[in-house]
Amino acid sequence: MSTMDDDLALARRLQAEELANADPRFAARFSAPQGADAPLLQQNEGPGAVRNNMQEGLEDASEASPRILGLYIFLALSELTATIVVLALTWDQQCDAPLHTWILLFSGRLLFLVPLWVHRFRLARAEQDTRKMREFIKYANVFTFILFILGQTWVYGSETCTNTAHTLFVYCIVLVVIFTCLWRCR
């Protein structure tokens, strides 16, 4: 064996040990591959590889980090609070699109997602399999995306809401813009 092969083998062994010590869940995912041509880290390849690697890393971090979970819960509670305030202020205002219904459904998704996030976090802390929870969350995200498209159709197709329910309309636009930015980051 050459010095280069020895160095590569040592780098793989140290990487596997470091990742195993940091979090046992990472040890299996980033186990040291065999062979001199194998990459040090197993990763997604092809179109969208960087995005997929980032998304998987964020999912792993959100499962392991109470701070990230706390941030998600804070943002969810902020959206729910803002929705309740806007609905309370604009409930009697009418417009040609069912924006009240849309923001109730769209923000109501968080009442379903937050317990899923917490349960996934607890499963990860107990070092149990979180794949099923990830699947539930992915299905909820698909439902959220469908609601988002429906809401955009109603918001941008509205003709009277800017005049008759201005606050409600502006809040819906804000939700659409924020959600678009967040979805693009994913």
Side-chain angles (χ1 to χ4, degrees):
M1 245 185 162
S2 69
T3 305
M4 184 74 138
D5 291 336
D6 291 339
D7 289 345
L8 191 57
L10 176 63
R12 287 190 178 113
R13 185 176 56 81
L14 290 174
Q15 177 193 37
E17 288 175 10
E18 184 177 335
L19 290 170
N21 290 335
D23 190 335
R25 291 178 301 118
F26 292 120
R29 185 164 167 213
F30 296 113
S31 61
Q34 302 299 320
D37 295 335
L40 287 176
L41 286 177
Q42 297 172 359
Q43 57 191 4
N44 293 323
E45 296 178 7
V50 172
R51 175 178 273 178
N52 290 338
N53 286 333
M54 282 180 36
Q55 187 172 359
E56 287 179 15
L58 183 59
E59 286 176 359
D60 289 341
S62 67
E63 288 177 1
S65 172
R67 288 183 181 159
I68 292 177
L69 177 65
L71 177 65
Y72 285 174
I73 292 172
F74 173 76
L75 293 173
L77 289 176
S78 298
E79 182 182 329
L80 285 170
T81 303
T83 298
I84 290 169
V85 169
V86 167
L87 285 175
L89 293 174
T90 64
W91 192 255
D92 58 341
Q93 298 174 358
Q94 299 297 319
C95 69
D96 61 337
L99 299 183
H100 288 103
T101 304
W102 177 68
I103 63 170
L104 266 173
L105 288 173
F106 190 73
S107 294
R109 83 196 187 282
L110 296 170
L111 298 174
F112 179 70
L113 280 172
V114 169
L116 289 178
W117 295 337
V118 172
H119 187 62
R120 182 183 65 181
F121 174 77
R122 288 183 177 168
L123 286 175
R125 283 294 218 204
E127 296 183 12
Q128 296 177 3
D129 189 17
T130 60
R131 284 181 289 195
K132 190 171 278 193
M133 292 309 301
R134 283 186 182 194
E135 287 299 314
F136 281 129
I137 292 171
K138 284 181 184 178
Y139 289 131
N141 286 339
V142 168
F143 177 72
T144 299
F145 187 71
I146 291 168
L147 276 177
F148 174 69
I149 298 300
L150 182 65
Q152 276 193 344
T153 303
W154 287 340
V155 169
Y156 295 125
S158 168
E159 295 177 6
T160 64
C161 293
T162 55
N163 298 326
T164 59
H166 185 72
T167 305
L168 176 66
F169 182 77
V170 168
Y171 181 67
C172 289
I173 293 288
V174 167
L175 278 181
V176 166
V177 168
I178 290 172
F179 192 76
T180 301
C181 292
L182 291 176
W183 201 268
R184 294 292 300 161
C185 292
R186 297 185 112 187

